[in-house]
């Protein structure tokens, strides 16, 4: 008997629960039938990528607690009815092609606690009501960015009486009436996000606060609410997290209401609130000395002495962001003295930040994990040395447009910040290959941005590839000296790379794309302006990178239809594509738009070889699933009214350029 055969089902299930990576779970399923069975009964969640597999997946995984349908644009009320009833007489030939009538049971609904329906276009109140009624254990629903979601749909969601978490970001049809339905129907609600729900006002927020006493998390970002809403929020004794990002009608008076209420508040975001000043922030601080995170990015003109003085009371503060404000060296020194537990500070685009201020700031901030110095143009290697030497546990450092920093700064980072995982050096024009050699000592790097660093070449990229094998995001935008040799090193060592930007790296040829095709986990590729790449390179890319979801080929003018046919045949997981200024023809465009069944967003500007009839046919081929399409304005008057109305009726947003 082998060791595997000696393991009981319970032990196998325990091992399975430790597999957090989808790649590992896939490998597990392929071991043997018993491992496959354990996967079926133990898997807690599924994310359905193609609607035609929904039937078999839900019959297989009957014990799931989380179901994500956010990338299935063809889900509509009819589909839901079939999945829940299994009634053969509901099937039509059109539906058969999507979901065969073989659904024997609806066991999967009994345990479901979390349902993700974000970005849906076809689901309306009838389908939502059926889903909610069929899933009595539902605690979390996400309908963010759902087109057509309005008050009737909110009424359907309100039937989930046990709901504790609800996300409705950018549901533009939702008004105070719909919010009132949810407030009355879901009294146990603890987390609610209403970001960009522009029709929600003070009346809806007031009723919500009167009915949902258990709210712990509330996001009202970019709503047209006033101080009256903050007055209504103040009595919520359990509220811990509040975001009013971009609420331009809120001022210091409203923050005073919060300062006198919300005794449990731990996190508050008042970023981009134009009418807020230091006085309002001080009101919040005085009433909440247990604040852990305070974000006031691009709200404050200046960090005043009175604000600095009041901040001394926040002994538990771990995250503080004042991006865009004027910050003096004295104020940064005060932060260092008083915030010993500070792990994150944001000074992006702050004026007045100098080496002296940063040196004083980090001298007492040994626990700092994230430091954002984006566009702090006066920062030099001296500040980087102090950061590296004092903050050796730093994991994220943003230095975009700090153009005075040289290879010396990277030497210090590579010597002391060995835990660094994310580094942004975009537009740091003095960075060279020697600097990347020093930086390569940071072997835990996962995200590295080197866009517009003109002095780096293949040699520097080889240094990074040789030691930073965990890197998953790399930005080389307009690094003109990067070519095929660097990509060869990258593809050989950095097998976990998922996001790559090589736009306008004009030395890259088809050979470079062949190397990239070996990156099996690559999901996002930005390759604008690669004029030497032809259909050969694109064919290799399409055949090798099966997980490619986002592809930007703008200005790739040497690629002909053969390359696009390869994408249409191999890259079935593509969700977003930019073909603007390419040489694709009518036939190639129709193949792309018709065959890519998961495509949701397409940019199709200035396609000189595509006729009006070609656009018409291509749009008809994808009108059932496309969510966004970008076209030149002239087509608005040349395409048939029928196709434009069909796209709109299917929930597709057309952007005219």
């Amino acid at each position: 008997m082998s060791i595997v055969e000696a393991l009981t089902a319970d032990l196998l299930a325990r091992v399975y629960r430790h597999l957090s990576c989808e790649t590992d779970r896939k490998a597990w399923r392929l071991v043997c039938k018993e491992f496959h069975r354990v996967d079926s009964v133990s898997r807690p969640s599924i994310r359905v990528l193609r609607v035609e597999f929904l039937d078999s997946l839900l019959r297989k995984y009957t014990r799931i607690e989380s179901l994500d349908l956010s990338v299935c644009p063809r889900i509509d009320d009819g589909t839901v009815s079939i999945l829940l009833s299994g009634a053969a007489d509901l099937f039509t030939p059109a539906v058969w092609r999507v979901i065969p009538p073989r659904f024997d049971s609806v066991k999967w609904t009994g345990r479901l606690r979390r349902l993700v329906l974000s970005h849906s276009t076809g689901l309306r109140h009838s389908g939502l009501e059926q889903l909610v009624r069929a899933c009595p254990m539902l605690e979390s629903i996400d309908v963010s960015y759902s087109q057509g979601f309005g008050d009737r749909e909110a009424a359907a969601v309100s039937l989930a009486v046990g709901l504790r978490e609800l996300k409705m970001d950018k549901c533009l049809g939702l008004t105070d009436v719909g919010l009132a339905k949810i407030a009355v129907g879901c009294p146990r609600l603890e987390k609610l996000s209403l970001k960009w729900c522009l029709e929600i006002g003070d009346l809806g927020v007031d009723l919500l606060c009167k009915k949902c006493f258990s709210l712990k998390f509330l996001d009202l970002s970019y709503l047209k609410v006033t101080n009256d809403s903050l007055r209504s929020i103040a009595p919520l004794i359990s509220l811990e997290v509040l975001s009013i990002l971009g609420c331009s009608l809120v001022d210091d008076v409203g923050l005073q209401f919060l300062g006198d209420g919300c005794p449990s508040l731990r996190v508050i975001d008042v970023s981009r609130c134009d009418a807020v000043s230091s006085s309002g922030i001080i009101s919040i601080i005085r009433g909440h000395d247990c604040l852990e995170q305070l974000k006031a990015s691009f709200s404050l003109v200046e960090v005043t002495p009175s604000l600095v003085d009041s901040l001394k009371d926040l002994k538990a503060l771990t995250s503080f962001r004042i991006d865009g404000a004027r910050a003096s060296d004295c104020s940064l020194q005060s932060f260092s003295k008083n915030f010993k537990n500070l792990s994150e500070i944001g000074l992006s685009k702050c004026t007045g930040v100098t080496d002296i201020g940063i040196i004083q700031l980090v001298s007492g901030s040994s626990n700092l994990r994230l430091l954002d110095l984006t566009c702090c143009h006066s920062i030099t290697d001296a500040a980087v040395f102090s950061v590296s030497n004092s903050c050796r546990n730093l994991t994220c450092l943003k230095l975009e447009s700090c153009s005075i920093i040289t290879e010396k700064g990277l030497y210090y980072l590579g010597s002391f910040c060995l835990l660094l995982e994310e580094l942004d050096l975009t537009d740091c024009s003095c960075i060279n290959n020697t600097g990347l050699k020093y930086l390569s000592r940071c072997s835990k790097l996962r995200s590295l941005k080197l866009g517009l660093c003109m002095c780096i070449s293949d040699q520097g990229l080889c240094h990074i590839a040789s030691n930073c094998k965990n890197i998953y995001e790399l930005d080389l935008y307009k690094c003109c000296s990067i070519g095929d040799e660097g990509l060869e090193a990258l593809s050989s060592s950095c097998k976990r790379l998922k996001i790559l930007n090589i736009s306008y790296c004009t030395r890259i040829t088809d050979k470079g794309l062949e190397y990239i095709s070996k990156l099996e986990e690559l999901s996002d590729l930005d390759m604008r302006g690669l004029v030497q790449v032809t259909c050969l390179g694109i064919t290799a890319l399409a055949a090798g990178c099966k997980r490619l979801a986002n592809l930007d080929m703008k200005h790739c003018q040497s690629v002909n239809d053969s390359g696009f046919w390869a994408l249409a045949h191999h890259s079935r997981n593509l969700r977003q594509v930019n073909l603007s200024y390419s040489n694709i023809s009518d036939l190639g465009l129709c193949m792309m738009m018709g065959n890519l069944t998961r495509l949701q967003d397409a940019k199709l500007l200035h396609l000189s070889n595509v006729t009006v009839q070609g656009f018409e046919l291509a749009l008809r081929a994808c009108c059932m699933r496309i969510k966004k399409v970008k076209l030149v304005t002239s087509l608005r008057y040349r395409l048939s009214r029928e196709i434009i109305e069909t796209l709109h009726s299917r929930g597709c947003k057309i952007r005219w350029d």
Side-chain angles (χ1 to χ4, degrees):
M1 179 184 292
S2 68
I3 295 177
V4 172
E5 291 174 330
L7 295 175
T8 65
D10 180 59
L11 287 174
L12 288 174
R14 289 187 183 186
V15 174
Y16 178 86
R17 283 194 287 270
H18 288 280
L19 302 178
S20 58
C21 176
E22 176 58 32
T23 304
D24 293 338
R25 288 196 293 266
K26 183 177 180 181
W28 171 282
R29 291 194 294 271
L30 297 175
V31 172
C32 62
K33 289 183 178 180
E34 180 61 17
F35 277 42
H36 193 278
R37 189 193 68 80
V38 169
D39 173 71
S40 298
V41 299
S42 303
R43 191 182 180 103
S45 63
I46 59 172
R47 184 170 187 250
V48 183
L49 302 181
R50 295 174 66 174
V51 70
E52 53 264 40
F53 300 140
L54 184 56
D55 166 37
S56 58
L57 287 172
L58 293 180
R59 284 190 291 111
K60 178 181 178 182
Y61 298 105
T62 59
R63 306 183 69 180
I64 56 170
E65 295 183 359
S66 175
L67 176 60
D68 187 344
L69 299 174
S70 59
V71 291
C72 292
R74 284 188 283 174
I75 292 290
D76 56 20
D77 293 351
T79 305
V80 170
S81 296
I82 295 164
L83 292 178
L84 294 176
S85 68
D89 57 347
L90 293 177
F91 283 82
T92 64
V95 176
W96 286 341
R97 289 194 292 270
V98 178
I99 300 179
R102 299 173 300 174
F103 216 87
D104 303 321
S105 67
V106 287
K107 293 179 182 179
W108 59 274
T109 62
R111 290 172 164 266
L112 202 66
R113 295 179 181 274
R114 178 173 178 265
L115 183 60
V116 181
L117 300 167
S118 59
H119 297 90
S120 67
T121 58
L123 201 57
R124 297 294 181 264
H125 65 93
S126 175
L128 279 170
E129 182 174 342
Q130 292 179 72
L131 274 173
V132 169
R133 290 188 184 278
C135 303
M137 304 292 288
L138 267 181
E139 295 181 351
S140 174
I141 296 178
D142 184 353
V143 290
S144 300
Y145 303 95
S146 294
Q147 296 188 26
F149 188 96
D151 293 339
R152 295 183 71 185
E153 287 69 30
V157 170
S158 70
L159 298 174
V161 293
L163 203 63
R164 296 182 182 277
E165 181 177 359
L166 178 59
K167 290 190 67 175
M168 298 191 291
D169 297 348
K170 211 166 187 178
C171 290
L172 301 179
L174 182 67
T175 70
D176 289 337
V177 175
L179 183 57
K181 292 278 190 181
I182 289 171
V184 173
C186 307
R188 300 179 188 175
L189 209 58
E190 296 179 356
K191 295 184 178 182
L192 178 62
S193 182
L194 298 167
K195 186 186 298 183
W196 286 110
C197 293
L198 301 180
E199 297 302 318
I200 297 294
D202 294 332
L203 184 62
V205 174
D206 182 58
L207 183 58
L208 173 73
C209 296
K210 288 178 178 177
K211 295 294 183 180
C212 300
F213 306 110
S214 301
L215 273 176
K216 295 181 180 180
F217 177 101
L218 182 60
D219 190 343
L220 303 178
S221 299
Y222 300 105
L223 267 61
K224 298 175 183 177
V225 294
T226 68
N227 295 333
D228 290 337
S229 286
L230 300 193
R231 190 204 306 265
S232 301
I233 292 169
L236 294 175
I237 60 174
S238 298
L239 192 67
E240 298 176 358
V241 181
L242 175 64
S243 177
I244 51 174
L245 167 67
C247 293
S248 56
L249 302 180
V250 169
D251 58 25
D252 293 342
V253 176
L255 297 190
Q256 178 67 56
F257 293 137
L258 292 179
D260 296 334
C262 299
S264 301
L265 199 63
R266 296 290 182 271
V267 179
I268 186 165
D269 190 346
V270 293
S271 301
R272 299 188 184 277
C273 293
D274 301 333
V276 166
S277 69
S278 295
S279 176
I281 303 296
I282 293 171
S283 298
I284 295 176
I285 294 171
R286 286 175 179 168
H288 303 89
D289 56 5
C290 291
L291 269 181
E292 297 173 4
Q293 296 183 33
L294 175 58
K295 300 177 182 180
S297 301
F298 305 105
S299 290
L300 302 177
V301 175
E302 181 181 10
V303 181
T304 62
S306 57
L307 176 58
V308 172
D309 187 62
S310 66
L311 285 168
K312 295 177 182 178
D313 298 327
L314 300 181
K315 302 301 182 183
L317 195 68
T318 60
S319 177
F320 185 45
R321 299 201 66 102
I322 50 171
D323 307 288
R326 186 163 57 251
S328 66
D329 294 340
C330 291
S331 62
L332 296 182
Q333 183 180 17
S334 177
F335 295 162
S336 173
K337 290 180 179 179
N338 296 294
F339 301 146
K340 300 301 181 183
N341 296 320
L342 203 63
S343 62
E344 175 184 351
I345 186 164
L347 301 172
S348 170
K349 298 185 179 179
C350 283
T351 56
V353 175
T354 67
D355 284 349
I356 295 174
I358 295 301
I359 291 170
Q360 292 173 335
L361 171 67
V362 301
S363 62
S365 304
S366 58
N367 293 319
L368 207 61
R369 299 289 190 278
L370 185 152
L371 179 60
D372 189 349
L373 298 175
T374 299
C375 294
C376 293
H377 302 295
S378 300
I379 295 300
T380 71
D381 293 330
V384 177
F385 169 73
S386 186
V387 170
S388 305
N389 190 41
S390 300
C391 308
R392 301 198 178 196
N393 293 321
L394 199 69
T395 59
C396 178
L397 179 61
K398 299 184 179 182
L399 297 171
E400 179 181 349
S401 296
C402 295
S403 55
I404 308 177
I405 293 174
T406 69
E407 70 270 13
K408 285 186 179 180
L410 298 193
Y411 171 78
Y412 301 137
L413 289 175
S415 300
F416 303 121
C417 293
L418 301 181
L419 299 179
L420 199 63
E421 295 180 4
E422 181 178 347
L423 179 62
D424 189 347
L425 295 171
T426 303
D427 201 19
C428 292
S429 53
C430 294
I431 299 301
N432 57 25
N433 293 332
T434 304
L436 294 187
K437 181 179 181 180
Y438 297 141
L439 184 63
S440 67
R441 299 170 187 167
C442 300
S443 59
K444 294 185 181 297
L445 265 179
R446 300 181 71 240
S447 174
L448 179 59
K449 296 183 179 181
L450 298 169
L452 298 171
C453 294
M454 302 296 186
C455 296
I456 65 172
S457 66
D458 290 337
Q459 182 184 357
L461 192 55
C462 288
H463 290 313
I464 294 296
S466 65
N467 202 38
C468 302
K469 299 183 185 300
N470 293 322
I471 200 162
Y472 80 94
E473 179 181 9
L474 181 62
D475 187 349
L476 299 170
Y477 176 78
K478 283 193 175 181
C479 294
C480 302
S481 297
I482 296 293
D484 298 339
E485 184 182 343
L487 295 182
E488 181 182 13
L490 198 66
S491 64
S492 299
S493 303
C494 303
K495 296 296 185 180
R496 297 181 180 180
L497 196 65
K498 293 182 179 180
I499 304 172
L500 178 62
N501 189 343
I502 50 173
S503 290
Y504 303 106
C505 297
T506 51
R507 292 184 58 204
I508 293 175
T509 69
D510 289 336
K511 196 67 177 177
L513 269 287
E514 289 180 19
Y515 293 134
I516 292 177
S517 70
K518 299 176 183 178
L519 298 171
E520 296 181 358
E521 295 191 21
L522 193 69
S523 62
D524 294 64
L525 178 61
D526 196 328
M527 47 174 287
R528 295 187 181 197
L530 300 191
V531 293
Q532 295 195 61
V533 171
T534 70
C535 60
L536 298 177
I538 296 297
T539 300
L541 176 73
C545 300
K546 300 292 187 180
R547 298 187 181 185
L548 202 60
N550 301 313
L551 178 62
D552 192 335
M553 294 179 59
K554 185 177 181 180
H555 287 297
C556 290
Q557 297 175 341
S558 299
V559 179
N560 59 26
D561 274 355
S562 296
F564 296 113
W565 291 341
L567 287 171
H569 180 71
H570 295 291
S571 301
R572 296 301 181 92
N573 287 318
L574 272 178
R575 294 198 299 269
Q576 182 173 319
V577 67
N578 187 353
L579 304 178
S580 301
Y581 296 93
S582 68
N583 285 324
I584 194 170
S585 69
D586 287 356
L587 183 57
L589 185 60
C590 288
M591 286 282 289
M592 286 278 290
M593 303 300 280
N595 279 24
L596 300 178
T597 55
R598 289 186 59 202
L599 191 64
Q600 298 179 25
D601 189 342
K603 296 179 178 66
L604 308 173
L605 300 176
H606 302 286
L607 303 182
S608 56
N609 292 338
V610 180
T611 65
V612 175
Q613 185 180 10
F615 277 111
E616 186 96 16
L617 293 173
L619 293 173
R620 289 184 185 279
C622 67
C623 65
M624 292 290 291
R625 59 182 179 274
I626 198 78
K627 292 181 179 180
K628 293 181 182 179
V629 62
K630 193 170 186 179
L631 303 168
V632 292
T633 305
S634 60
L635 286 174
R636 189 172 195 166
Y637 309 102
R638 301 172 69 187
L639 290 172
S640 69
R641 181 181 297 273
E642 178 191 355
I643 187 59
I644 293 177
E645 290 178 351
T646 298
L647 289 169
H648 282 308
S649 67
R650 298 288 181 180
C652 177
K653 181 179 179 181
I654 305 176
R655 291 166 290 177
W656 304 103
D657 187 88

